Amino acid sequence: MAWQWFHRLGSPRWFYQKTSGWLPWLALASVVLLVTGSVWGLGFAPEDAKQGNSYRIIFIHVPAAFLALAGYYIMAISGAIGLIWKMKLSFAVMRAAAPIGAVLTFISLFTGAVWGKPTWGTYWVWDARITSMLILLFLYIGVMALSQAVSREQVADKASALLALVGTVNIPIIYKSVDWWFTLHQPATIRLTESSSIDPSMFYPLLVMIIGFYCTYAWTLLMHTRALILRREMKTQWVQQELAGEK
Amino acid sequence: MSLTDVQLQSVGARATPGFVALFKIEMLLALRKRADIANPLLFFVTVLALLPLGVGPEPELLAKMAPGMIWVMALLATMLSQESLFRGDFEDGTLEQLALLPQPLYFAVLAKSLVHWVATGLPLALLSPLLALMLNLPSEGYLCLFVSLFLGTASLSLIGAIGAALTVALRRPGLLLALIVMPLYVPVLIFGTGAVQAAIDGYAYSAQLAILAALLAAAAALAPLAAAGAIRISLDN
């Protein structure tokens, strides 16, 4: 009985109908948190002693980078679940996670470049963290390209899940890159185990933004997964009823 | 002797002759198709010959670029020759037969990757001192370049087998294979060039070589598993 929810998750129909109630709440939470976080961070948080106002891009850069990495795990783990338990739904989550992760990786690279110009004096350096984030973008694109290249959907699912799993080897390297290679990018400032080296007045709005990004991620992932489910289950009766009912 | 020992031995006994037999067959096939061995080497040399034409023949500049260029060329030569690793066997049905064998597909992939390395990576490593000389690499780097390529190209052959297995059923896998495999090559490239750079600068480079060896051990243990899984997926297509 405790496992019932897990078996139910294998049913795209159950998932689709169950999650439709969550969407408005996730949307509300995302909007409220992102608006609060940006107004607080951009308007009220104090100016940085060394970087002035340019540091404020941290409120987008750091949450995007967080989710870009966490999103890879979400993609790889749901791919693994799909390979092991042969769940259709889990493959749909994996396929939905790839482009979202790629976009977030791009955002973190882009904001990093914009931030790099005033602080380091250059848009791009071949620093360990930046380079490994670029590799992460290629990993995401590789998974997407493979899933597009294989014509049969089930084979494409399994193949891209395997590739996503193999790619996880690189993720710890990206995480640790700032600690292992001491280069231009600063080491991690937010730590769960010790006290953070960032001032609370800047940390709290950042935290709000991170949680907001997580909510937005969940919202987007759900929407994309639901769209994929509709397309994949197009021929089933429940989808046709669902679509007819919504009109 | 416990039950698991007996089981392990029987698995080993089943696997070893299959592995050795397959290795011999593949080796023989590779030796029969000498052009396939020569092509990556010729590619390697030709592209390196383009380098001085492209950036200019100044010895100092070439010396600075040599380790990285030789490594990147080795990466490309390995990857390009790997595109056809499973292709012939896939097209004539041999791959399906291999997948049906009672021994794990792991050993078949390992044997094929090993042959691929003997046919491409090893000659590249052996050839590297000559190219290093032509590119004016300081002589302190020769031994390290050879050892790092020796260890590194073996990892590349194993990692690349995953990409080759994933794309074997596709009609034109070339660019997709590059997109899939290149990010996975990155750690090998970092430590390979790092070792040579350290050697040129006169530092100890055993740590980088040890990491390359560790990467090779991990690749030998895990990459054939992933590639075997990928082959089974591709055979479904």
Side-chain angles (χ1 to χ4, degrees), chain B residues 2 17 19 36 50 57-58 71 74 90 111 142 148 154 158 177 186 213-214 228 233:
Chain B
S2 70
F19 175 76
D36 283 4
L50 291 179
E58 294 83 16
W71 256 99
F90 177 76
Y142 284 17
S148 69
L158 286 158
L177 183 67
V186 167
I233 293 168

Side-chain angles (χ1 to χ4, degrees), chain A residues 135 138-139 141-142 145-146 149-150 152 155 158-159 162-163 166 170 173, chain B residues 162 166-167 170 176 179-180 183-184 186-187 190-191 226 230 233 236-237:
Chain A
I135 301 294
F138 292 149
L139 284 173
I141 294 176
L146 185 66
V150 182
R152 268 186 59 197
V155 181
K158 286 194 223 160
L162 190 100
L163 181 61
V166 172
N170 275 356
I173 299 178
Chain B
I162 305 172
L166 279 171
T167 54
L170 303 177
L176 182 63
L179 188 58
I180 289 175
L184 305 175
V186 167
I190 289 175
F191 291 107
I233 293 168
D236 280 357
N237 201 355

Side-chain angles (χ1 to χ4, degrees), chain A:
Chain A
M1 267 171 284
W3 281 89
Q4 215 174 17
W5 64 271
F6 192 71
H7 289 292
R8 274 195 188 142
L9 268 182
S11 151
R13 179 184 180 177
W14 181 84
F15 178 85
Y16 187 88
Q17 286 164 350
K18 193 79 186 165
T19 52
S20 61
W22 302 354
L23 288 176
W25 296 106
L26 276 173
L28 184 71
S30 308
V31 172
V32 169
L33 284 167
L34 287 186
V35 169
T36 318
S38 356
V39 172
W40 190 357
L42 300 182
F44 294 97
E47 222 171 90
D48 187 80
K50 284 185 203 142
Q51 301 182 11
N53 276 321
S54 72
Y55 92 96
R56 290 186 199 275
I57 204 162
I58 196 176
F59 296 111
I60 295 167
H61 177 70
V62 168
F66 257 49
L67 261 297
L69 283 161
Y72 195 89
Y73 279 118
I74 290 170
M75 180 176 79
I77 290 170
S78 52
I81 292 174
L83 282 179
I84 296 165
W85 286 289
K86 312 218 180 312
M87 269 187 202
K88 280 192 281 184
L89 177 71
S90 157
F91 285 130
V93 174
M94 178 202 73
R95 292 280 279 269
I100 304 175
V103 167
L104 283 166
T105 313
F106 179 77
I107 291 176
S108 77
L109 280 170
F110 183 79
T111 51
V114 171
W115 193 7
K117 188 67 185 170
T119 47
W120 298 339
T122 171
Y123 286 113
W124 184 265
V125 279
W126 291 98
D127 151 90
R129 171 57 66 88
I130 303 172
T131 312
S132 53
M133 281 305 273
L134 187 64
I135 301 294
L136 180 70
L137 183 64
F138 292 149
L139 284 173
Y140 274 123
I141 294 176
V143 171
M144 282 159 68
L146 185 66
S147 64
Q148 301 283 314
V150 182
S151 48
R152 268 186 59 197
E153 196 142 58
Q154 286 152 332
V155 181
D157 280 346
K158 286 194 223 160
S160 34
L162 190 100
L163 181 61
L165 269 181
V166 172
T168 46
V169 180
N170 275 356
I171 305 296
I173 299 178
I174 302 172
Y175 263 117
K176 282 285 154 197
S177 59
V178 276
D179 301 327
W180 289 346
W181 294 281
F182 193 73
T183 42
L184 203 48
H185 196 289
Q186 59 176 346
T189 36
I190 301 169
R191 291 168 205 274
L192 293 176
T193 45
E194 312 150 39
S195 62
S196 306
S197 59
I198 177 172
D199 192 75
S201 60
M202 296 171 185
F203 178 63
Y204 290 126
L206 184 57
L207 195 66
V208 171
M209 282 303 272
I210 291 173
I211 300 170
F213 262 71
Y214 265 94
C215 287
T216 317
Y217 183 88
W219 180 32
T220 327
L221 186 66
L222 266 187
M223 299 254 280
H224 196 172
T225 311
R226 285 162 58 88
L228 281 178
I229 288 174
L230 282 189
R231 207 187 64 204
R232 291 181 168 201
E233 308 278 305
M234 208 156 43
K235 294 199 178 102
T236 61
Q237 217 176 0
W238 74 266
V239 169
Q240 280 163 9
Q241 282 171 354
E242 196 79 37
L243 292 180
E246 276 176 10
K247 270 175 195 166

Side-chain angles (χ1 to χ4, degrees), chain B residues 77-159:
Chain B
T78 310
M79 192 204 72
L80 287 174
S81 59
Q82 213 142 27
E83 196 186 312
S84 55
L85 186 65
F86 300 113
R87 182 148 305 261
D89 283 353
F90 177 76
E91 278 163 2
D92 64 13
T94 314
L95 204 56
E96 228 151 23
Q97 299 301 320
L98 286 176
L100 290 173
L101 281 182
Q103 67 155 326
L105 197 49
Y106 176 93
F107 292 102
V109 176
L110 195 62
K112 283 178 94 65
S113 310
L114 196 59
V115 171
H116 177 263
W117 176 71
V118 173
T120 55
L122 190 59
L124 286 185
L126 291 170
L127 197 65
S128 63
L130 177 68
L131 293 166
L133 179 79
M134 288 166 72
L135 288 179
N136 202 34
L137 186 83
S139 55
E140 297 85 21
Y142 284 17
L143 179 67
C144 181
L145 181 69
F146 170 74
V147 178
S148 69
L149 277 174
F150 184 87
L151 291 168
T153 48
S155 302
L156 299 183
S157 286
L158 286 158
I159 298 168

Side-chain angles (χ1 to χ4, degrees), chain B residues 169-223:
Chain B
L170 303 177
R171 251 175 293 132
R172 305 190 59 193
L175 291 171
L176 182 63
L177 183 67
L179 188 58
I180 289 175
V181 165
M182 284 297 167
L184 305 175
Y185 279 172
V186 167
V188 178
L189 178 69
I190 289 175
F191 291 107
T193 49
V196 183
Q197 201 58 55
I200 296 171
D201 297 342
Y203 296 113
Y205 52 84
S206 52
Q208 284 93 329
L209 292 184
I211 293 176
L212 276 182
L215 286 175
L216 175 58
L222 298 173

